[in-house]
Amino acid sequence: MDALDVARWQFGVTTVYHFLFVPLTIGLSVLVAILQTLWHRTGDEKYLKLTKFYGKLFLINFAMGVVTGIVQEFQFGMNWSDYSRFVGDIFGAPLAIEALVAFFLESTFIGLWIFGWDRLPARLHLASIWAAAIGTNLSAYFILAANSFMQNPVGYRYNPDTGRAELTDFVAVLTNKVALITFPHTIAGAFLVAGSLLVAVALWHLIRNRDSADTPAYRFAARFGSWVTLVAATVVVITGDIQGKIMTQVQPMKMAAAEGLYSTESPASFSVLTIGSLDGSRELFAIKIPYLLSYLGTGDPNGTVQGINDLQALYSAQYGAGSYTPIIPVTYWSFRLMIGFGLAAAAIALLVLWSQRKGRTPTSRWLLRAGLVMPILPLLANSFGWIFTEMGRQPWIVFGEMLTRDGVSRSVSLTEVLTSFTAFTLIYAVLAVIEVKLLIRYAKAGVPDVTPTPEPDDTDDAERPLAFAY
């Protein structure tokens, strides 16, 4: 083990941990804005209760996301200085816009939303949560545009004198075809998480407190969250299909690694389950769906999908001797776990809708258990999706331009990286406990009472009628 290995582990752990908060923040910001809009238009108190209830969960998650996100910026300079030097001219523009425009937009208007209850005009207060939601989604786009450059470098030229990539077309970076499809796919995944949280919390209160006066609010939240989950799952499937075809164009090795396909095939099958050697190079048993991999990669059931061995030979001739194959068991299983956990969340959403058909109230304890697990499933799907995205690009940190081993800071020792890795892991573990406890505490508390507080009577005591005298 050397500094490179530990730096990769540190970046992987902190990034996956940070991304546990990101999709929930993105999705909940919009759903809370929709709930407040419903209250503003109808005056129905149940929407106000749900707005304040889920808004509190959103704020807890947002705060944790900001804290863990700061670490991501520092890691580029600390552990990956050579990489930062190489792509700084490219990354600087989208990340600067993300910080100066999108992040300040969301943070400013979140502050107005928090402290503006009963102080700001109703329409202005509603506009503040929508502005925060828009800022949150814009923030995601600029970050994904930067990441998409790593997958498919565009809009730049390499300067051999400085050894850096220099920005030549900022519009090309923002309209990178990888970014254009990754954004809706990621946002849909975020709504999958947020919808699942709505369902889980509402279902818990519906089954545990069946005679509560707030049952109508929880019934609506469970139905609303279920529909959001199902629609989001549909969009994830559609955008994922398009993303797979673009991925095959720009990173054919990643598609081959997703299947563990060593030899070029036409047509190519997709294996639902494969049992093979530990390195993934030899298949012992597999359950396959004919033609599916060809369709996922090319849009043609009889299309040709290049194999790992052919691509390895091609890259060796193009970039020089070396291994250009990612870790196959990681890419193979992360791809399938991403799909499986996402579909499982959608299946539970269907069960919740079925349990409420014709005005019924869910009573099944098994459904409650499934509902409580439900938010974890899309979180895992999102995490495994990003693990596949980043691990499938290896050994490149910028595809075709810079190897991961060349991006690590040369002046950082193994001891220093181990120290920071250990510290961050322990701190993040403590933050995880705090986050979960806060979410559970406020989720169990239920929707708040929104009955207006009576105005104090300013009438002078001498002028008040006597309530009792003798």
Side-chain angles (χ1 to χ4, degrees):
M1 182 178 291
D2 56 19
L4 171 63
D5 296 322
V6 182
R8 291 181 66 186
W9 270 103
Q10 177 178 309
F11 200 89
V13 169
T14 54
T15 302
V16 169
Y17 185 89
H18 172 62
F19 203 75
L20 294 176
F21 305 106
V22 172
L24 191 55
T25 298
I26 292 172
L28 268 185
S29 65
V30 177
L31 298 187
V32 169
I34 291 173
L35 290 171
Q36 186 167 344
T37 302
L38 290 172
W39 170 66
H40 181 75
R41 293 180 64 87
T42 66
D44 191 331
E45 278 193 353
K46 73 181 178 186
Y47 299 127
L48 176 59
K49 291 179 178 180
L50 292 173
T51 299
K52 292 192 172 186
F53 178 51
Y54 286 108
K56 189 172 293 184
L57 302 182
F58 160 67
L59 292 174
I60 293 170
N61 194 76
F62 176 80
M64 288 293 183
V66 170
V67 171
T68 57
I70 293 173
V71 175
Q72 301 303 100
E73 304 287 342
F74 285 111
Q75 281 192 97
F76 288 123
M78 293 189 301
N79 293 345
W80 301 97
S81 59
D82 283 6
Y83 163 73
S84 299
R85 189 178 299 109
F86 179 76
V87 299
D89 195 47
I90 313 293
F91 266 40
L95 292 184
I97 295 175
E98 186 274 331
L100 295 174
V101 178
F103 179 71
F104 282 135
L105 179 68
E106 61 180 309
S107 57
T108 299
F109 282 98
I110 280 178
L112 288 173
W113 186 73
I114 294 171
F115 300 105
W117 285 101
D118 303 322
R119 292 182 176 89
L120 293 175
R123 288 186 179 181
L124 184 57
H125 188 255
L126 175 61
S128 66
I129 186 62
W130 275 111
I134 292 170
T136 301
N137 284 266
L138 279 176
S139 180
Y141 186 82
F142 289 117
I143 292 172
L144 290 172
N147 179 268
S148 296
F149 179 84
M150 300 165 66
Q151 317 295 335
N152 180 42
V154 295
Y156 77 105
R157 73 178 183 90
Y158 175 71
N159 187 333
D161 296 329
T162 61
R164 302 180 67 222
E166 296 180 350
L167 182 66
T168 59
D169 190 345
F170 184 54
V171 174
V173 173
L174 292 183
T175 58
N176 188 335
K177 61 182 177 181
V178 174
L180 292 178
I181 192 57
T182 301
F183 177 69
H185 189 67
T186 303
I187 297 301
F191 279 103
L192 196 64
V193 176
S196 297
L197 181 71
L198 259 67
V199 173
V201 177
L203 199 61
W204 189 86
H205 285 283
L206 276 175
I207 295 177
R208 293 289 297 270
N209 306 295
R210 300 175 190 174
D211 300 323
S212 169
D214 295 316
T215 293
Y218 294 127
R219 283 182 56 81
F220 173 80
R223 291 196 308 274
F224 179 49
S226 296
W227 280 114
V228 168
T229 301
L230 289 174
V231 172
T234 303
V235 176
V236 165
V237 171
I238 294 171
T239 55
D241 175 61
I242 300 171
Q243 192 177 33
K245 292 168 177 56
I246 293 176
M247 179 179 72
T248 304
Q249 294 172 15
V250 301
Q251 291 177 287
M253 179 65 85
K254 187 182 289 187
M255 177 56 83
E259 175 58 27
L261 183 71
Y262 278 83
S263 300
T264 300
E265 292 185 8
S266 177
S269 302
F270 178 85
S271 60
V272 178
L273 172 68
T274 296
I275 299 174
S277 57
L278 290 177
D279 62 359
S281 62
R282 189 162 53 91
E283 176 186 302
L284 301 178
F285 170 79
I287 301 173
K288 296 186 176 182
I289 302 176
Y291 306 103
L292 183 55
L293 185 65
S294 289
Y295 179 78
L296 291 175
T298 67
D300 179 0
N302 295 301
T304 300
V305 179
Q306 292 178 286
I308 293 171
N309 292 334
D310 293 328
L311 290 167
Q312 169 64 32
L314 175 65
Y315 291 163
S316 295
Q318 185 175 356
Y319 301 113
S323 174
Y324 298 95
T325 304
I327 303 174
I328 301 305
V330 173
T331 54
Y332 181 91
W333 286 110
S334 60
F335 189 72
R336 279 147 187 80
L337 289 171
M338 170 189 69
I339 296 171
F341 285 127
L343 292 177
I348 296 173
L350 276 174
L351 288 175
V352 173
L353 286 175
W354 177 255
S355 71
Q356 294 192 81
R357 67 192 185 281
K358 297 180 180 179
R360 300 179 185 179
T361 299
T363 57
S364 170
R365 292 285 173 177
W366 284 105
L367 183 61
L368 174 60
R369 294 187 183 98
L372 293 178
V373 173
M374 188 177 172
I376 300 173
L377 300 176
L379 278 175
L380 290 173
N382 275 272
S383 297
F384 280 114
W386 275 109
I387 289 171
F388 168 74
T389 297
E390 297 303 300
M391 291 296 290
R393 192 187 61 245
Q394 300 303 315
W396 301 102
I397 194 168
V398 179
F399 184 75
E401 290 293 341
M402 187 179 207
L403 295 169
T404 303
R405 66 168 184 253
D406 297 328
V408 72
S409 299
R410 302 175 189 178
S411 59
V412 177
S413 68
L414 174 61
T415 302
E416 290 171 330
V417 183
L418 273 174
T419 301
S420 63
F421 180 36
T422 304
F424 281 136
T425 303
L426 293 175
I427 292 171
Y428 277 21
V430 173
L431 289 176
V433 172
I434 295 172
E435 160 87 358
V436 172
K437 282 191 173 182
L438 285 174
L439 286 177
I440 291 176
R441 174 184 173 185
Y442 286 101
K444 282 185 174 181
V447 295
D449 181 13
V450 295
T451 304
T453 303
E455 292 292 332
D457 189 355
D458 295 330
T459 307
D460 188 75
D461 289 344
E463 298 177 1
R464 293 181 180 176
L466 292 174
F468 179 79
Y470 63 94

